[in-house]
Amino acid sequence: MPELPEVSAYLDAFRERIVGEVLQGVRLRSPSLLRTFDPPLSAAAGRTVREVGRMGKRIVWSLDGDLHLVVHLMVTGRFHRRRPGTALPKKHAHASFDFADASYFLTERGKQKKASLHLVQGAEALAALDPGGLEPLEASPEAFAAALRRENRTLKRALTDPRILSGIGNAHSDEILWQAGLSPVQRTGNLDDDELERLRVATVDGLLEWTARLAGENAGRFPEKITAFHPAMAMHGRYGEPCPRCGDPVQRIVYAERETNYCATCQTGGRLLADRAFSRLLREDWPRTLDELENHLNERRSPSVDGDPAQDAAP
């Protein structure tokens, strides 16, 4: 899912290309994308884009007449720049935003179509779409601590809740927690002041670093390859690979369609966190530490006592 750094890369590109330009129209292929009806989408045609901005993980184009186009890319939604008037492809394309010098396709891969488009008028209607999370790059230490302590949540859930913090999702929360040396399942109510400040610094430094990195990688071009995983990430998407800090293998927790990656040595004192599916399967055999996990794997690799390979085969 595009998060604050990835959305910022889109915003940089749009500021260079569409601010001050007239949106000629929107070609809508997927009616389910549009979540509003008043004003009608046709009202945006012929309006000049005055400003582009971010609301959490949403991209906002502010047009003449106090109209605002708000796009949430969700998990697999992406923008692509094409020649003006290019026909929309039959697969994956939701809509095209047409300007004189280019058309910007909004696509979404996957069977579940979750991306959304709102057209609203006025500051009040725009504010109603804001989940209200604190902007982490603007928050004082006191405000950051108050937001995290407002509810007693796991750190992973707190960082990714748009009502608590704005713009952070699954990928960057993994990176932030690893940088801060904190467990994803530690409760916010159990953090002391030093841990909270360490988390805030890791959040700010991580988001700024990735925003700058993506800006540099996409300088002078439209960001066509925004993904939820970047090869330079330390934790996210690195299950089984060595931790850049200690060298021990990156672990994971899988829940529904979401995976949390962490380093047991750097973040949980060597304790393995129970994966809902795998730990229920193994029950009392679930390894609790990295040493137990290594012993478990070694036992699976070792031959049987009598050397009969049939006894070593999985049932």
Side-chain angles (χ1 to χ4, degrees):
M1 176 184 292
E3 302 172 32
L4 188 155
E6 291 77 23
V7 169
S8 296
Y10 278 131
L11 295 183
D12 290 344
F14 285 135
R15 288 191 183 101
E16 294 177 5
R17 292 167 174 83
I18 69 172
V19 172
E21 301 296 325
V22 175
L23 176 62
Q24 296 181 339
V26 181
R27 287 177 284 156
L28 188 66
R29 176 178 287 279
S30 301
S32 62
L33 175 73
L34 185 62
R35 306 300 173 87
T36 54
F37 62 90
D38 185 23
L41 190 58
S42 59
R47 308 270 184 169
T48 299
V49 179
R50 295 303 179 188
E51 185 180 0
V52 297
R54 181 182 62 82
M55 179 185 292
K57 302 185 191 80
R58 295 169 172 83
I59 293 172
V60 182
W61 294 357
S62 296
L63 315 175
D64 283 339
D66 208 11
L67 287 175
H68 306 276
L69 280 166
V70 183
V71 175
H72 197 319
L73 297 171
M74 293 301 291
V75 179
T76 62
R78 300 294 185 269
F79 278 107
H80 305 277
R81 191 174 191 264
R82 297 293 182 262
R83 292 179 180 179
T86 300
L88 277 163
K90 293 182 180 180
K91 292 185 66 176
H92 308 309
H94 277 314
S96 176
F97 301 86
D98 297 328
F99 294 83
D101 66 340
S103 289
Y104 295 91
F105 289 177
L106 173 56
T107 67
E108 186 177 19
R109 294 185 176 273
K111 295 181 179 180
Q112 294 183 328
K113 304 303 182 184
K114 298 181 179 181
S116 64
L117 170 65
H118 293 75
L119 177 63
V120 298
Q121 188 165 31
E124 185 175 347
L126 179 61
L129 298 176
D130 189 350
L134 187 71
E135 286 293 340
L137 298 182
E138 302 172 4
S140 67
E142 295 77 17
F144 185 90
L148 267 293
R149 283 172 168 158
R150 190 165 59 240
E151 298 179 28
N152 190 22
R153 312 283 296 278
T154 65
L155 287 182
K156 179 72 174 187
R157 292 292 299 273
L159 287 176
T160 58
D161 189 334
R163 301 169 302 166
I164 297 175
L165 292 175
S166 177
I168 303 174
N170 197 40
H172 289 285
S173 60
D174 283 350
E175 299 300 293
I176 289 167
L177 289 169
W178 172 76
Q179 191 63 48
L182 294 170
S183 168
V185 300
Q186 184 169 349
R187 291 275 173 177
T188 56
N190 295 333
L191 293 178
D192 60 31
D193 292 343
D194 289 341
E195 289 172 324
L196 267 172
E197 179 59 11
R198 196 164 80 231
L199 179 63
R200 186 191 69 82
V201 170
T203 300
V204 172
D205 289 352
L207 294 177
L208 288 177
E209 177 187 346
W210 278 101
T211 299
R213 181 191 292 269
L214 294 178
E217 290 179 355
N218 293 288
R221 64 180 182 181
F222 191 82
E224 292 282 346
K225 297 186 181 295
I226 293 293
T227 68
F229 167 75
H230 192 286
M233 285 183 167
M235 284 292 110
H236 186 69
R238 295 294 191 183
Y239 172 63
E241 298 182 23
C243 167
R245 183 180 293 142
C246 70
D248 286 333
V250 173
Q251 303 300 318
R252 69 179 176 185
I253 309 169
V254 179
Y255 179 69
E257 298 178 352
R258 179 170 295 186
E259 179 175 312
T260 295
N261 297 127
Y262 69 97
C263 174
T265 300
C266 297
Q267 295 176 250
T268 65
R271 183 171 62 90
L272 294 180
L273 303 178
D275 175 88
R276 284 175 179 255
F278 198 42
S279 61
R280 285 176 179 173
L281 176 66
L282 294 179
R283 297 182 182 273
E284 66 272 8
D285 292 330
W286 170 253
R288 305 294 178 180
T289 66
L290 286 176
D291 288 341
E292 289 182 12
L293 177 61
E294 183 64 24
N295 291 336
H296 176 74
L297 294 175
N298 288 336
E299 289 173 1
R300 290 178 60 87
R301 297 190 193 106
S302 61
S304 59
V305 175
D306 59 8
D308 184 356
Q311 294 186 20
D312 297 325

